[in-house]
Amino acid sequence: MTKAKMPRSFNDRMFALRLERSRDDLFGMLERLYGHRTDYAAFADDLTAALKAGWDARPERLKWRDMERDLEPDWFQRPDMNGYVFYIDRFAGTLSGVPDKLGYLQDLGITYVHFMPCLKPRPGDSDGGYSVMDYTEVNPALGTMDDLETVARACHDRGMSVCIDLVLNHTAKEHEWARKAWEGDETYREYYHMFVDDTLPKSYEATLVEVFPANAPGNFTYYDEINRWVWTTFNEHQWDLNWANPRVFLEMVKVMLFLANKGVDVLRLDAPAFLWKRMGTRCQSEPEVHMLLQALRAASRISAPSVIHLEEAIVSPAEMLPYLGRGEHDGKEGNLAYHNSLMVQFWSALAARDTGLMTHVLRRHFPTVLTNATYATYIRCHDDIGWAVTDEDAAAVGLSGASHRAFLSEFYEGRFPGSFARGALFQVNEETGDKRISGTTASLAGLEAALEAGDQDAIARAVDRILMGHALIASYGGIPLVYMGDELAQLNDYSYLDDPDLAHDSRWLHRPRMDWQRAARLPDGGATPEGQVYDGIRRILARRAASPGLHGAVPTEIVDTGQAGHFAFVRRAPTGPIVCVFNFTDQWSGLPAAWFARQGASRMYDLLSDAPVFAPDGGVPLPPYARVWMT
Ligand code: GLC
């Protein structure tokens, strides 16, 4: 920029600098997406004005936060980042109840909180809040935008970052844009995918998959009143936005900056895989999706630089990585993305008592390091578990994909002989045979059945499975997310069946209300299974925070122990490797000290238990569901 053009005020100069830093990342993509349109120049001007307006409106407090995070751009990769995910109503009643609960979270070691959908949903069934009718208002049942701002500030004061959902793929059909489209406003009809007859919908449908085959079959809905077909990938009330229209991009940037300026640090971009439609494809993860996501990321980087993006792409392993920026998007797309494969493989290996597939998938598809990005790791979330295991990956380890997926569903439904799990099916697809699973961590890991049977050994094993899972996600690389109530070992909640708005959706099985009475009795010195789980998770998070070698930028290299029940990786930290081993079986096993030494861990100190490991026979004993982080 020449001197003459340099703006005078500090604020304007800062904006100019930030715009220049990311101009190519933004407009480079937008020109390719929209440059052919006659309205492109006007759009580009409007976008620049929106970015400037967003920056001008940004509170000074948050501009300091921007500065801080410019100075420590790895903040979200640090090992003291520990996440917690909750529904505001089920956790604290309303937003104004949240500050009182932050002490509890801080005590658990939490530095990142994800409030499940909290923007104004449509009335009635809103897909758990993912059917949004106003992005600029908070769900009135939870509070107001001012409350959100207050809570975000309270979190910041405690050193916690705040994440909220931003649904990009669709709005509720009650959203103002959709209402205008309904009334015939052509400008707003362009915001959605509307068709006068079913010719195109039928052609698209030939290659589309169904997300909710059981209760929302098909991807299009016909409305007699307007004589139009509307693209509705998810539920009928969720209308897909038309991202080929640059006005949609512009609207969403305004929404993003509005939310960022309320103090949100992390935007969880919901279901981004579906943003771009292309005839003859599944309309998932098309190249344009990554261009859009890079451009959105650049927009945040310009006008709300401390904000990062978490991408929710629940797709196959190979398809997921690009959401963290691959190829030309390297380092420029999602800062975070859910590691769905790690979650799926955890449950798969637990059921199979064999880690062959897990080791294959995680080694084959995932690089040892990511640029300017890391995973959000988890063992359970608010959604079902879909068995994202491809036929190719299964075949590579001698399994049939279809049989293994069927086995996993049966196992976690609790029907497979010898299964320890209690779960429920979700969205059985009669055509493909695909079955997904709902259930809480504790119930899927065997605690519900063990408690019912009064079987002390089985209870102990369930607790160990849960803690092994948490030790895995806390060390693999990425921000581990504790899903509300999991730290209390909360079991399945069958009460959703009595609520007509929820009964059709078994995901409510694992969305129980927070059991504060139970929480009040903890810690209990390990007297109860929930006490053991709570202490165990708290300790895992504390040990993670105290282990610099678990930083997200440290390579994760999958290694073999030579035993079918072990999963192992080495975090190759500059300060020396950390060798993480997990025993996925209910049998005792062991590993020679020499094996650890070969991986570089000759000190034989377990960071997780914070104690030296004595290996009298030269072997490290690994009890059922053991977990060690050896240095
Ligand atoms: C995401 C959410 C899920 C929701 C869907 C549609 O996958 O996690 O709960 O049903 O998007 O918005």
Side-chain angles (χ1 to χ4, degrees):
M1 184 173 297
T2 62
K3 228 181 173 162
K5 276 208 226 140
M6 187 75 86
R8 277 227 296 279
S9 82
F10 182 74
N11 184 65
D12 290 356
R13 285 177 70 165
M14 189 63 96
F15 177 75
L17 275 174
R18 293 193 181 283
L19 178 61
E20 285 320 308
R21 174 176 72 168
S22 301
R23 181 185 289 281
D24 290 346
D25 290 345
L26 175 65
F27 288 103
M29 293 297 119
L30 296 178
E31 264 158 39
R32 277 158 67 188
L33 289 163
Y34 307 124
H36 61 280
R37 296 174 56 114
T38 51
D39 58 358
Y40 178 73
F43 156 72
D45 286 348
D46 290 351
L47 178 61
T48 308
L51 292 170
K52 178 66 164 54
W55 173 254
D56 288 344
R58 190 153 174 83
E60 195 177 304
R61 186 178 72 85
L62 296 177
K63 286 184 175 167
W64 279 108
R65 202 165 171 81
D66 296 335
M67 193 80 88
E68 266 169 42
R69 290 189 159 171
D70 275 344
L71 294 174
E72 43 175 17
D74 67 335
W75 65 272
F76 62 96
Q77 297 174 311
R78 294 193 177 172
D80 62 355
M81 290 301 294
N82 289 320
Y84 193 85
V85 183
F86 61 83
Y87 285 95
I88 293 163
D89 55 343
R90 293 180 169 235
F91 184 72
T94 61
L95 271 170
S96 55
V98 173
D100 281 348
K101 308 292 187 197
L102 294 179
Y104 169 83
L105 294 180
Q106 198 164 25
D107 195 50
L108 188 62
I110 299 304
T111 51
Y112 165 116
V113 281
H114 172 187
F115 307 151
M116 290 296 291
C118 60
L119 301 180
K120 189 177 176 187
R122 73 188 291 268
D125 174 24
S126 64
D127 186 24
Y130 286 102
S131 201
V132 179
M133 67 181 280
D134 192 341
Y135 294 96
T136 62
E137 267 186 55
V138 162
N139 181 347
L142 304 176
T144 63
M145 219 14 111
D146 284 347
D147 294 336
L148 182 65
E149 215 171 343
T150 307
V151 172
R153 189 189 279 247
C155 291
H156 292 173
D157 288 346
R158 289 192 187 249
M160 295 177 186
S161 297
V162 175
C163 169
I164 71 166
D165 288 87
L166 179 59
V167 185
L168 294 181
N169 179 64
H170 43 262
T171 70
K173 66 176 178 183
E174 288 80 4
H175 190 285
E176 192 194 341
W177 307 333
R179 287 294 89 204
K180 289 185 175 159
W182 180 273
E183 282 150 18
D185 185 327
E186 284 306 327
T187 303
Y188 289 93
R189 287 198 164 174
E190 290 293 312
Y191 276 39
Y192 297 91
H193 298 274
M194 296 193 154
F195 306 89
V196 285
D197 61 43
D198 66 356
T199 320
L200 285 172
K202 269 191 179 148
S203 311
Y204 277 114
E205 203 68 89
T207 50
L208 289 173
V209 290
E210 289 180 301
V211 179
F212 293 147
N215 60 284
N219 288 279
F220 299 88
T221 304
Y222 177 71
Y223 295 94
D224 211 8
E225 299 90 326
I226 55 171
N227 189 26
R228 288 285 186 289
W229 288 85
V230 179
W231 200 312
T232 52
T233 301
F234 291 83
N235 290 293
E236 174 274 323
H237 51 79
Q238 291 162 306
W239 285 15
D240 287 43
L241 285 163
N242 174 16
W243 283 81
N245 178 356
R247 292 286 137 187
V248 167
F249 184 92
L250 179 63
E251 295 276 15
M252 275 301 173
V253 166
K254 289 182 186 166
V255 167
M256 276 173 25
L257 299 182
F258 173 82
L259 296 171
N261 286 348
K262 301 297 168 197
V264 172
D265 301 286
V266 182
L267 290 169
R268 175 193 179 275
L269 306 184
D270 182 70
F274 300 87
L275 297 188
W276 200 267
K277 320 295 188 193
R278 172 166 286 118
M279 186 64 81
T281 72
R282 292 180 306 130
C283 298
Q284 284 190 51
S285 307
E286 287 297 303
E288 288 82 353
V289 165
H290 298 291
M291 296 183 199
L292 286 168
L293 292 171
Q294 175 179 319
L296 289 172
R297 168 87 192 88
S300 284
R301 201 165 133 84
I302 291 166
S303 299
S306 60
V307 170
I308 61 170
H309 292 184
L310 161 61
E311 297 187 0
E312 188 243 359
I314 307 305
V315 290
S316 71
E319 196 177 322
M320 172 265 180
L321 265 177
Y323 289 87
L324 289 166
R326 308 303 284 167
E328 63 171 332
H329 307 295
D330 190 55
K332 297 176 176 176
E333 206 175 318
N335 308 75
L336 294 168
Y338 289 100
H339 204 323
N340 179 57
S341 279
L342 183 66
M343 183 276 289
V344 165
Q345 294 301 333
F346 166 74
W347 293 107
S348 162
L350 259 192
R353 298 173 170 83
D354 184 308
T355 59
L357 180 63
M358 180 175 200
T359 298
H360 170 75
V361 166
L362 294 170
R363 182 156 43 206
R364 161 102 174 67
H365 297 291
F366 297 92
T368 54
V369 269
L370 298 160
T371 312
N372 186 27
T374 193
Y375 303 105
T377 57
Y378 63 115
I379 45 176
R380 281 307 281 120
C381 69
H382 68 291
D383 277 329
D384 54 291
I385 307 177
W387 303 114
V389 173
T390 65
D391 291 346
E392 296 74 45
D393 285 332
V397 295
L399 295 172
S400 139
S403 328
H404 187 61
R405 292 188 296 267
F407 157 69
L408 293 173
S409 294
E410 259 184 60
F411 190 93
Y412 286 106
E413 201 194 344
R415 286 198 304 123
F416 195 84
S419 166
F420 47 72
R422 285 283 166 81
L425 293 179
F426 177 72
Q427 300 291 331
V428 176
N429 190 328
E430 300 295 351
E431 232 167 88
T432 61
D434 188 42
K435 293 176 178 167
R436 287 135 70 181
I437 284 289
S438 292
T440 65
T441 299
S443 291
L444 294 180
L447 191 58
E448 187 172 330
L451 285 170
E452 247 172 58
D455 179 338
Q456 294 307 317
D457 285 348
I459 292 172
R461 281 199 297 275
V463 167
D464 277 323
R465 286 184 199 108
I466 296 169
L467 294 180
M468 183 179 74
H470 283 279
L472 171 74
I473 60 171
S475 54
Y476 182 87
I479 304 182
L481 302 177
V482 178
Y483 180 63
M484 176 186 130
D486 276 1
E487 79 281 18
L488 304 177
Q490 283 192 232
L491 303 177
N492 288 342
D493 172 9
Y494 297 90
S495 68
Y496 78 99
L497 291 167
D498 304 327
D499 183 333
D501 276 342
L502 311 182
H504 67 277
D505 188 340
S506 74
R507 291 176 297 176
W508 291 98
L509 184 62
H510 53 252
R511 299 170 181 173
R513 290 181 182 284
M514 181 72 174
D515 188 346
W516 286 109
Q517 284 178 357
R518 180 180 278 213
R521 295 192 295 267
L522 300 180
D524 62 6
T528 58
E530 59 266 29
Q532 292 157 17
V533 167
Y534 175 83
D535 282 351
I537 292 180
R538 191 160 168 255
R539 182 163 180 85
I540 289 165
L541 299 181
R543 293 306 303 150
R544 167 178 155 78
S547 307
L550 297 180
H551 190 285
V554 169
T556 303
E557 187 189 313
I558 313 287
V559 292
D560 287 308
T561 70
Q563 293 187 45
H566 294 166
F567 178 64
F569 53 81
V570 183
R571 303 298 311 276
R572 294 263 173 232
T575 45
I578 305 174
V579 183
C580 303
V581 181
F582 307 87
N583 175 9
F584 273 75
T585 73
D586 50 8
Q587 303 295 316
W588 279 79
S589 67
L591 273 176
W595 180 86
F596 284 99
R598 273 204 301 284
Q599 313 302 327
S602 49
R603 213 174 124 222
M604 298 303 278
Y605 190 90
D606 178 16
L607 286 179
L608 184 53
S609 54
D610 199 13
V613 175
F614 297 104
D617 310 312
V620 177
L622 295 168
Y625 308 114
R627 52 273 172 192
V628 290
W629 300 349
M630 201 79 88
T631 54

